[in-house]
């Protein structure tokens, strides 16, 4: 993975770097370009659009190359395979040269027009401006409910204040970008790292739209993975919960033992059935496996960090 400085030939620093991950978005690319260019041109600022192709299998790569050939303000980095959304955002931030970077998904669920509001807050002196959702159009009750529960649970588990109902759509100042780029961790949760660094932060509220075309790139499996990354990268709570749960079960077993001993001594003890015994054994076994799993999640992340493999691999670039 080449450093961003070696990829850039243009010495003029743009004001805005728009970072956009793409994964199988051929149905959206043309509409995305037609929407985003007028918005950026209306800012009257020099800008660049960093398109990160996260190992797409459709025509995304060739369509991005064609756009980069037509418009030098567009630049594309193509991963050697699919490394994931957070890796794509990270690569875009590594490449970005602007005085600020705006992270935006290509599916147009997050309205490009909101960029003006993000820039206005940035010019007021805020280092991080995040878009906070009021409503989520086109999403089922289950997804809305799980998202609502996750953000509020994460806020309770972590010791830092993570704004609820926020995604990766945000504006980040140059000095914050440099700090995020210096963080070497692999299991990245960008919105958590964004809150962890601190600085002056502000919210801009909006109503999220339906996808313009295509399907969500975050099925249940990926949503669970992202949620685990958020919890285990920002909180010790699972380990602490395992300790308290163990103490609670130990205290409960001690109380039960005392009760059985008293009943035995008073002659009121009756032989318990196998069903209750099996239920208790299975419950304790399940608790132990959950605790071991929590420890395993932390050990697995340590293993990833120790290997020191690159977070992503750029196979080729266009316009860089």
């Amino acid at each position: 993975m080449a450093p961003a400085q070696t990829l850039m030939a243009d010495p003029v620093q743009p004001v805005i770097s728009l970072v956009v991950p793409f994964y199988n978005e051929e149905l959206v690319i043309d509409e995305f370009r037609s929407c985003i260019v007028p918005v950026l041109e209306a800012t009257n600022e020099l800008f660049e659009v960093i398109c990160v192709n996260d190992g797409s299998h459709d025509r995304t790569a060739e369509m991005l190359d064609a756009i980069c050939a037509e418009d030098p303000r567009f630049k594309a980095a193509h991963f050697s395979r699919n490394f994931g959304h957070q890796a794509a955002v990270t690569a875009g931030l590594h490449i970005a040269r602007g005085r600020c970077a705006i992270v935006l998904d290509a599916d147009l669920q997050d309205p490009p027009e909101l960029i003006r509001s993000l820039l206005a807050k940035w010019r007021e002196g805020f280092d991080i401006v995040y878009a906070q959702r009021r409503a989520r159009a086109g999403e089922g009750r289950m997804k809305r409910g799980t998202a609502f529960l996750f953000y509020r649970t994460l806020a309770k588990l972590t010791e830092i204040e993570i704004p609820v109902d926020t995604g990766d759509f945000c504006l980040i100042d140059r000095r914050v970008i440099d700090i995020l780029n210096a963080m070497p961790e692999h299991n990245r949760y960008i919105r958590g790292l964004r809150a962890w660094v601190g600085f002056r932060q502000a919210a801009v509220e909006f109503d999220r739209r339906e996808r313009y075309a295509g399907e969500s790139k975050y099925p249940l499996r990926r949503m669970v993975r992202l949620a685990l990354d958020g919890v285990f990268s920002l909180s010790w709570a699972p380990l602490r919960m395992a300790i308290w749960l163990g103490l609670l079960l130990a205290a409960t077993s001690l109380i039960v033992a005392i009760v059985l001993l008293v009943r035995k001594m008073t002659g009121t003890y009756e032989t318990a059935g196998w069903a209750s015994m099996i239920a208790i054994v299975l419950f304790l076994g399940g608790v132990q496996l959950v605790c071991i799993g929590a420890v395993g999640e932390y050990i697995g992340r340590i293993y990833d960090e120790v290997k020191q493999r690159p977070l992503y691999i750029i196979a080729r670039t266009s316009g860089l």
Side-chain angles (χ1 to χ4, degrees):
M1 177 181 67
Q5 290 82 353
T6 65
L7 296 172
M8 303 301 178
D10 185 359
V12 180
Q13 182 186 25
V15 175
I16 303 168
S17 291
L18 185 68
V19 175
V20 190
F22 288 83
Y23 181 62
N24 295 338
E25 297 288 7
E26 65 176 357
L27 299 177
V28 178
I29 290 177
D30 289 336
E31 180 67 18
F32 173 80
R33 181 188 180 187
S34 65
C35 289
I36 201 63
V37 170
V39 171
L40 292 174
E41 288 179 341
T43 65
N44 296 318
E45 301 285 5
L46 189 64
F47 67 86
E48 63 178 0
V49 181
I50 309 296
C51 305
V52 183
N53 173 26
D54 188 19
S56 299
H57 303 299
D58 59 3
R59 296 178 57 247
T60 295
E62 74 176 79
M63 294 178 71
L64 290 178
D65 288 340
I67 292 175
C68 293
E70 295 173 6
D71 190 339
R73 297 172 298 185
F74 280 77
K75 311 171 191 304
H78 302 280
F79 282 179
S80 61
R81 65 169 178 83
N82 178 249
F83 284 90
H85 182 271
Q86 299 297 286
V89 172
T90 300
L93 294 178
H94 284 163
I95 296 170
R97 298 178 302 127
R99 288 170 47 201
C100 71
I102 298 174
V103 180
L104 176 68
D105 287 340
D107 56 19
L108 297 177
Q109 283 189 280
D110 299 328
E113 304 81 37
L114 202 67
I115 288 175
R116 292 191 291 266
S117 299
L118 300 180
L119 288 169
K121 284 290 185 181
W122 177 57
R123 293 188 181 108
E124 290 177 15
F126 291 97
D127 300 292
I128 298 173
V129 187
Y130 51 85
Q132 192 166 40
R133 295 182 286 260
R134 285 185 304 237
R136 305 167 68 106
E139 297 181 354
R141 289 185 178 180
M142 180 177 179
K143 187 168 184 178
R144 293 198 305 268
T146 53
F148 179 90
L149 182 62
F150 165 70
Y151 284 117
R152 283 148 186 83
T153 302
L154 182 62
K156 295 292 185 182
L157 291 178
T158 58
E159 297 178 357
I160 60 174
E161 185 176 349
I162 301 177
V164 298
D165 301 323
T166 58
D168 293 318
F169 185 22
C170 67
L171 180 149
I172 309 173
D173 185 75
R174 177 79 254 172
R175 61 175 176 168
V176 180
I177 296 171
D178 293 337
I179 293 172
L180 292 175
N181 288 344
M183 294 180 178
E185 56 199 80
H186 282 63
N187 296 286
R188 301 175 77 85
Y189 183 67
I190 301 296
R191 62 200 76 168
L193 297 178
R194 185 180 69 200
W196 182 86
V197 297
F199 294 99
R200 294 191 65 198
Q201 304 196 14
V204 173
E205 293 186 338
F206 76 105
D207 296 326
R208 202 177 199 203
R209 304 169 177 169
E210 296 185 42
R211 282 184 61 90
Y212 174 76
E215 58 184 14
S216 173
K217 302 307 184 295
Y218 265 98
L220 180 60
R221 178 178 59 84
R222 289 200 175 192
M223 288 177 60
V224 171
R225 176 66 183 179
L226 183 64
L228 291 177
D229 284 340
V231 172
F232 287 103
S233 64
L234 296 170
S235 174
W236 292 98
L239 293 178
R240 295 194 183 105
M241 290 171 63
I243 293 173
W244 285 109
L245 186 57
L247 291 174
L248 176 62
L249 290 175
T252 302
S253 64
L254 179 61
I255 293 172
V256 171
I258 293 174
V259 171
L260 291 177
L261 179 61
V262 171
R263 293 183 63 184
K264 184 72 172 179
M265 295 177 64
T266 57
T268 59
Y269 177 77
E270 297 180 1
T271 304
W274 284 101
S276 59
M277 184 179 299
I278 293 298
I280 293 173
V281 169
L282 290 177
F283 173 72
L284 293 177
V287 169
Q288 290 172 340
L289 289 175
V290 168
C291 295
I292 292 172
V295 174
E297 285 288 338
Y298 286 103
I299 293 175
R301 282 160 172 74
I302 294 171
Y303 178 60
D304 278 344
E305 301 297 335
V306 169
K307 287 186 293 188
Q308 295 187 341
R309 292 177 183 172
L311 183 62
Y312 57 85
I313 298 173
I314 296 178
R316 62 183 181 84
T317 63
S318 298
L320 290 173

